[in-house]
Every structure is written in C-alpha cells, then in structure tokens.
Amino acid sequence: MSARPHSTIAEFPQSRTSTTCAACAAYDLSLCRTLSEAPLALQYSEYTVPARRILCRQHELLDVVPVICRGWAASIVMLSDGSRQILSFLLPGDAVSTALLFDARPYFMVEAITDVHYRGFKRSDVRTVLARQPDLLDSFCRTWAQATARADQLIVDLGRRTADERIARLLLYLAERLAQRGMTQRGTMEMEFPLRQHHIADATGLTPVHVSKVLSEFRRSGLIKISERSLTILDPERFQRIGHMR
Amino acid sequence: MSARPHSTIAEFPQSRTSTTCAACAAYDLSLCRTLSEAPLALQYSEYTVPARRILCRQHELLDVVPVICRGWAASIVMLSDGSRQILSFLLPGDAVSTALLFDARPYFMVEAITDVHYRGFKRSDVRTVLARQPDLLDSFCRTWAQATARADQLIVDLGRRTADERIARLLLYLAERLAQRGMTQRGTMEMEFPLRQHHIADATGLTPVHVSKVLSEFRRSGLIKISERSLTILDPERFQRIGHMR
DNA sequence: CGGTGTCTTGAATACCATCAAGTCTTGTGG
DNA sequence: CCACAAGACTTGATGGTATTCAAGACACCG
C-alpha cells in the first residue's frame, strides 16, 4: 500500500470565534453543547482541517479531547505493513474516543474523511466537570457503553460474517446514525455519503477490490443506489435481511 | 453446529459464607476486594457453577454485576445459525462487563469454561458506591478503558491478521494476563490452560479444524507445548514475532 | 496536460472452510 | 470392570470466498 504524503497534522487552532452551532447536526445529542455553553462554558480550541488530513497520530500524546462539529472522520489503526483497520466513523457530535479521557496516548490515529471542523476540550477540564456533575457523568458513561456495544458488534461482524453481510450492516448502521442526526433526506433512505470504497474496505476488513464487486452486485440487484457521494437504500427490507442472515 | 443441552442457567445462590478470598488469583487487582470488604462491605451473592454452564443469557435481564472469583469463563455472542464469537475471556478478578453497569440487558451470554465461582453485586449498590467514591470510580473507568483497548485490538486482529497471527496473539495475551495474576509457573512460560480448541476458534473467528492445524504447526516448529490442559510457550521471542508480523 | 486518486473487471492464487473418516479420551450406566 | 456414547482432536481431500495482480476507464486538480 502507498504512503500518503499529504497527511500532515493539523497545527493551527483558529481564533475561538463563536461558531454557529446551529449548523451542528448533532447539537442536541452531543456533550459538546453541555460542555461549551453556560453554565459550564468550558474553554476549547476550534480547528478546521481539509479532507484526508490527520487530526491526531497513533501513540502521540494528546492533551485535548476532540469533538467533531462538522464533517466525517475515522479512527484508524495502522499496521506496520501499511494495512489499516477503521475502528469507528466519527460523525458530528461524536467525541473522538471516550477512553481518551483516561489514556492520553491513543493507540489509533484520527483522519478526516471530508473537511472537518472540530473542537478540542482540555482533558483535565472535562474530567473535573464530569467529577462534579453526576448527571453529566452518567450520560457520558451511557455514550461510552454504546461505543462498547458497537465495538463488540464489530468484533462479531469481522469474526463471523461474510463480506456481503459486513458491508450491508455497515451501510445500515451508518444510515441509522445519520438519520438520528437528521442527515438523511426526510422520509427517504437517501443521504450524503462521502466514504470512498477503500474506507468501507478498511472498516470491514476487506480489500477495496472486493468491496467494489460486492457493491456492484448490490446495485445490480436493486438494493442500493450509490454514486456521486450519495447513498440510497432502495429496498431497506431486503437489505436488512442480508445484514441479518445469521 | 450442535445444540448444547447441558447448558442451563445457574439457579441457586449458595449461602453467603465468607469465602477464602486469599485463593483469588487477582485479589489485589480486582474491584471485588474493595467492594466486598470494609469499609464498603457491599452485600453480594455467591455462586458456584460447573464447567459449560451458562452464567447469564443473551438479552435477559440481569440485576447483578458478576465478578469471577475462581475459574475461567467467556462472554459470547451467539448468532442464529449457531456460530459463536467470543468477545472476551473472563479470569479471576474480572467483572463480567463494565458496560453492564449501564445496561441491564447484555447482548452476549456468559459461559463457564472451567468450574467457576463468582459473586454477584447488585447493580444499584455498585452504582451508588461509585458515585460517592471518586477514586473508586476512577479505577473503574481505567479498567473499562483497558477493556475498550482490548476490544479494539481484537477488531484489528479479526479484520487484518492471518490465522497464525490471531492465534499467537491470543495465546500471548492470555499468558500475559495469567502472569499478572501469578497463574503461571514462576519464571517460566508454563501455565494451566483449560481452553478447548473450539474456544480458541470462537475467539479468533476461525474453525476448530483450522485451529488444530495451526497449533500442530506451532508445535512441530517448537514454538509451544500444548497438551493435557496446559500450555508452555517454549520460544517466546519467536512466538512474539509471529504475533507482530505486521 | 500529466499526475493522482477512484473505480471496475477479469484471471490466477491463497487462505481458510467444509466434509469426512478415524483415533483417543472421558464420562456414564449396566 | 466393561461397553458404549459423546466430546476432543487430527489429518487429508475438496471447495469457496476473498486476495492479489494487472490493466484500463474515468474524474479531478494543479
């Protein structure tokens, strides 16, 4: 696999302008609002990085907890032979990793998929706030528990499911998360979909070549429409059956 | 795959005798001690179940948080076609799942591998104690963060590594955890090892047949000795290279 | 306009699953 | 104590799914 020379770390925090949070697709779901608004009003830095840029590197110290405001990112483990495994896709409102609060040295990197806008909260600030606000801590833990459940589900998918099943389940899972954020066309199963096939491959433990073949087959059988950075699930019922074959 | 008619749920809590915790291999590591001893002295029930018995079922309500005292168990997701994926092995001192504190309905089952002795703490008790003791909460979260890291590591293994690598890494990981608990022969890499090959298969996303072939190959090349419920890593250095090939 | 990234398709190959038969051990009831 | 059944493991033959290799089409960008 090829080196990616364009990947350089984000370096320059923007001035902390009051960004239009109304644009954040997950404003209501997210911890971000609670942390940044009164009465807590934690300080944070804001960053904007272009697609394909690295937000933070594997094994490098990180003293902020990043929260995505706009765009898609992914947390990725890179192996020494260049192969990659995506642990999770990060959508607006997602904190990069809940576990990051307790370990300053992530074992994965975070890479922007689209242009990404994000905030970095100081770890120590977040921890003191959580320690003082039991209800906040509780909702934080619930979010963490959800992430744990998703990770375990992914383990099952990678361990025991075929390529068709893995890909169908990934797409359905993303569709569900986008719907929660109001990021699908109202009523339909149509959504903006910035993932490249190599992202799908890295998330499902497959090769890009095989992903291409499976998606083509899905397209031919009228299950999905996928093109021009957009995805439509045409036959949700049949598509879900493929994801739940076992 | 076959139905396992012998698996019935553990039903009868024993009388709450003061068990000899000195025998617990992970007494110092575990939350269990802190929870059960003064000054907290939480109430708990104690259970002993034979090998292959189910401690708790997938999707069934559970109002206690089990902590393993003796023996090996595994948390397992079962799919409708009978195939199984082991999420984690549970050793003495392990709580069944940290996430279980926030979701009473586990998406996995827990099965005893050897005879298992465990305690069940009431979820609500544990939560109130955690809420009141910041240092306890902190160490709880650190344990959770470790479990999260292990799950992510497993995702990488299943997504991007070959059978040889997966199996070698599993054995090394277990050896490391056993060593932490003083459950290896002092100085050597020899340990009691109750796993059947089908457990290894279910944990690595492989078939028992293939596990057998890989283990035989490891044995032939003098990497490990594995027989009679015991495992010795004969050539740790070479074995680790196999686990870290990429 | 070349360069890079993305996607597609086909052919050859590798890895692991499946199927099957046989050995050995373990546990159980007669 | 023996007979029998079930579980655990091994080994070889065969097959399928996904990888690797390769070539070409297409879009986008500086």
Side-chain angles (χ1 to χ4, degrees):
Chain A
M1 310 204 182
S2 63
R4 283 155 306 95
H6 298 301
S7 302
T8 60
I9 209 157
E11 267 152 2
F12 304 110
Q14 294 191 327
S15 62
R16 184 147 41 73
T17 58
S18 64
T19 343
T20 135
C21 277
C24 174
Y27 198 46
D28 293 325
L29 283 71
S30 174
L31 284 182
C32 183
R33 175 183 204 167
T34 324
L35 294 178
S36 55
E37 283 189 358
L40 294 178
L42 286 194
Q43 295 227 325
Y44 54 85
S45 358
E46 287 200 354
Y47 308 81
T48 305
V49 299
R52 316 190 39 178
R53 196 62 57 87
I54 293 178
L55 308 200
C56 78
R57 291 191 186 284
Q58 209 162 343
H59 302 129
E60 264 181 28
L61 265 174
L62 189 68
D63 58 343
V64 297
V65 182
V67 177
I68 309 292
C69 301
R70 240 182 309 113
W72 292 44
S75 55
I76 307 176
V77 174
M78 289 210 49
L79 302 185
S80 56
D81 71 342
S83 61
R84 300 151 56 97
Q85 178 63 48
I86 291 183
L87 300 175
S88 64
F89 290 105
L90 304 169
L91 301 183
D94 289 343
V96 151
S97 165
T98 42
L100 215 51
L101 269 188
F102 302 93
D103 185 359
R105 214 177 277 277
Y107 46 84
F108 50 81
M109 68 174 189
V110 178
E111 198 176 282
I113 293 173
T114 63
D115 293 354
V116 163
H117 185 82
Y118 71 99
R119 292 180 175 174
F121 293 92
K122 251 184 90 185
R123 181 194 341 281
S124 54
D125 288 354
V126 179
R127 291 191 59 166
T128 42
V129 166
L130 284 180
R132 285 193 198 136
Q133 307 241 348
D135 51 335
L136 202 59
L137 178 67
D138 198 69
S139 83
F140 169 81
C141 285
R142 280 177 201 287
T143 306
W144 192 355
Q146 276 175 28
T148 299
R150 167 60 192 170
D152 287 343
Q153 195 182 77
L154 186 52
I155 287 170
V156 177
D157 289 353
L158 296 180
R160 291 297 177 204
R161 294 187 201 271
T162 64
D164 290 15
E165 294 169 318
R166 294 186 209 178
I167 293 175
R169 292 172 69 84
L170 173 63
L171 298 186
L172 287 164
Y173 171 68
L174 288 172
E176 188 187 322
R177 295 187 66 203
L178 290 171
Q180 284 171 358
R181 288 167 168 74
M183 290 169 78
T184 52
Q185 303 292 94
R186 301 183 64 75
T188 74
M189 299 276 291
E190 184 181 351
M191 61 212 87
E192 277 186 48
F193 195 78
L195 297 191
R196 309 283 160 163
Q197 294 188 355
H198 75 80
H199 291 119
I200 300 180
D202 289 341
T204 52
L206 302 166
T207 55
V209 173
H210 198 238
V211 168
S212 169
K213 287 171 181 166
V214 171
L215 287 181
S216 298
E217 188 50 42
F218 283 167
R219 230 174 337 221
R220 263 192 295 281
S221 28
L223 289 165
I224 59 173
K225 190 158 86 71
I226 184 169
S227 59
E228 328 243 313
R229 313 295 128 222
S230 140
L231 165 68
T232 312
I233 298 175
L234 297 169
D235 191 337
E237 202 171 308
R238 203 147 55 89
F239 202 48
Q240 270 172 356
R241 270 207 301 283
I242 290 185
H244 293 167
M245 295 249 265
R246 52 185 98 194
Chain B
M1 312 204 180
S2 63
R4 282 154 309 96
H6 297 301
S7 302
T8 59
I9 208 156
E11 265 150 3
F12 304 111
Q14 293 192 325
S15 63
R16 184 146 41 74
T17 59
S18 63
T19 343
T20 136
C21 276
C24 174
Y27 197 45
D28 293 324
L29 284 69
S30 175
L31 285 181
C32 183
R33 174 182 205 168
T34 325
L35 294 179
S36 57
E37 282 189 357
L40 293 178
L42 287 193
Q43 296 228 325
Y44 55 85
S45 358
E46 288 200 353
Y47 308 80
T48 305
V49 298
R52 314 190 40 174
R53 196 64 54 87
I54 294 178
L55 307 200
C56 79
R57 291 191 186 284
Q58 208 162 345
H59 302 129
E60 262 179 31
L61 265 174
L62 189 67
D63 57 344
V64 297
V65 182
V67 177
I68 310 293
C69 302
R70 239 182 311 112
W72 293 44
S75 54
I76 306 176
V77 173
M78 289 210 48
L79 301 185
S80 56
D81 71 342
S83 61
R84 300 151 56 97
Q85 178 63 48
I86 292 183
L87 299 175
S88 64
F89 291 105
L90 304 170
L91 301 183
D94 289 343
V96 151
S97 166
T98 42
L100 215 52
L101 268 188
F102 302 93
D103 186 359
R105 212 177 277 278
Y107 46 84
F108 50 80
M109 67 175 190
V110 177
E111 199 176 280
I113 292 173
T114 62
D115 294 353
V116 164
H117 184 81
Y118 71 100
R119 291 179 175 174
F121 294 92
K122 252 184 88 184
R123 182 197 338 283
S124 53
D125 288 355
V126 180
R127 290 191 60 167
T128 43
V129 166
L130 284 180
R132 284 193 198 136
Q133 308 240 348
D135 51 335
L136 201 60
L137 179 67
D138 199 69
S139 83
F140 170 82
C141 284
R142 281 176 201 287
T143 306
W144 193 356
Q146 276 175 29
T148 300
R150 166 61 190 168
D152 286 344
Q153 195 181 78
L154 186 52
I155 288 170
V156 177
D157 289 353
L158 296 180
R160 292 295 177 206
R161 293 188 202 270
T162 65
D164 289 15
E165 294 170 318
R166 293 185 211 178
I167 293 175
R169 293 171 68 83
L170 173 63
L171 297 186
L172 287 165
Y173 171 69
L174 288 171
E176 187 188 322
R177 295 188 65 204
L178 291 170
Q180 285 171 357
R181 289 167 168 75
M183 291 169 78
T184 52
Q185 303 292 93
R186 300 185 64 75
T188 74
M189 299 275 297
E190 183 180 351
M191 60 213 88
E192 276 186 50
F193 195 78
L195 296 191
R196 309 283 160 166
Q197 293 187 355
H198 73 81
H199 290 121
I200 300 180
D202 289 341
T204 52
L206 302 165
T207 56
V209 175
H210 196 66
V211 169
S212 169
K213 288 171 180 166
V214 171
L215 287 181
S216 298
E217 189 50 43
F218 284 165
R219 228 171 342 218
R220 261 192 297 280
S221 27
L223 289 165
I224 60 173
K225 190 157 86 69
I226 183 169
S227 59
E228 328 241 314
R229 315 293 127 223
S230 137
L231 166 68
T232 312
I233 298 175
L234 297 171
D235 191 338
E237 201 171 311
R238 203 149 54 90
F239 203 47
Q240 272 172 355
R241 269 206 300 283
I242 290 185
H244 292 167
M245 294 249 265
R246 51 185 100 195

